[in-house]
Amino acid sequence: MPYFVLTCTDHEGTLEKRLAIRPQHIERLQKLDDEGRLIAAGAHPKDPNNPQAGFLGSTIIVEFDTREALDSWIQEEPFLKEGIYSNIEVKPFNKAFPKG
């Protein structure tokens, strides 16, 4: 299965909405993790020492059968649907490490 890197960019001023929608976002990522298709995921804080400063966006590395299947999954992303993400850039990814 191919790997993909999603670079997600937040709109400015969406911290409260992000925190409110986060459980839905995490639930979807947990499902991918349970299926063994989530390689890594995390947010980019504006200030790592102050979460209240907000976020620049997120990076998600996933494994999907096809780009089309990934695109369908992205369309249901709560952070995108609720206007937290302004953009999601997708790039193919060749995973080298960790092995296995």
Side-chain angles (χ1 to χ4, degrees):
M1 263 196 267
Y3 294 101
F4 300 92
V5 175
L6 285 64
T7 304
C8 312
T9 305
D10 282 19
H11 281 287
E12 283 293 325
T14 58
L15 177 61
E16 287 184 27
K17 187 186 278 191
R18 182 186 242 273
L19 296 176
I21 302 300
R22 188 174 185 272
Q24 296 170 42
H25 171 73
I26 295 298
E27 182 179 329
R28 294 182 81 236
L29 292 175
Q30 184 62 59
K31 184 175 185 292
L32 284 181
D33 191 42
D34 292 346
E35 295 168 355
R37 298 189 300 143
L38 180 64
I39 308 309
H44 300 283
K46 289 181 178 180
D47 179 349
N49 299 314
N50 178 14
Q52 292 304 312
F55 296 88
L56 301 168
S58 307
T59 295
I60 305 169
I61 304 174
V62 293
E63 186 177 17
F64 272 82
D65 288 330
T66 64
R67 172 63 194 260
E68 292 76 20
L70 173 61
D71 287 344
S72 292
W73 183 84
I74 289 171
Q75 292 308 309
E76 297 304 314
E77 169 52 49
F79 281 1
L80 182 63
K81 289 173 75 172
E82 296 295 328
I84 295 154
Y85 288 157
S86 63
N87 181 54
I88 299 178
E89 181 182 1
V90 178
K91 293 181 181 175
F93 181 69
N94 290 333
K95 181 177 171 267
F97 291 95
K99 295 183 183 269

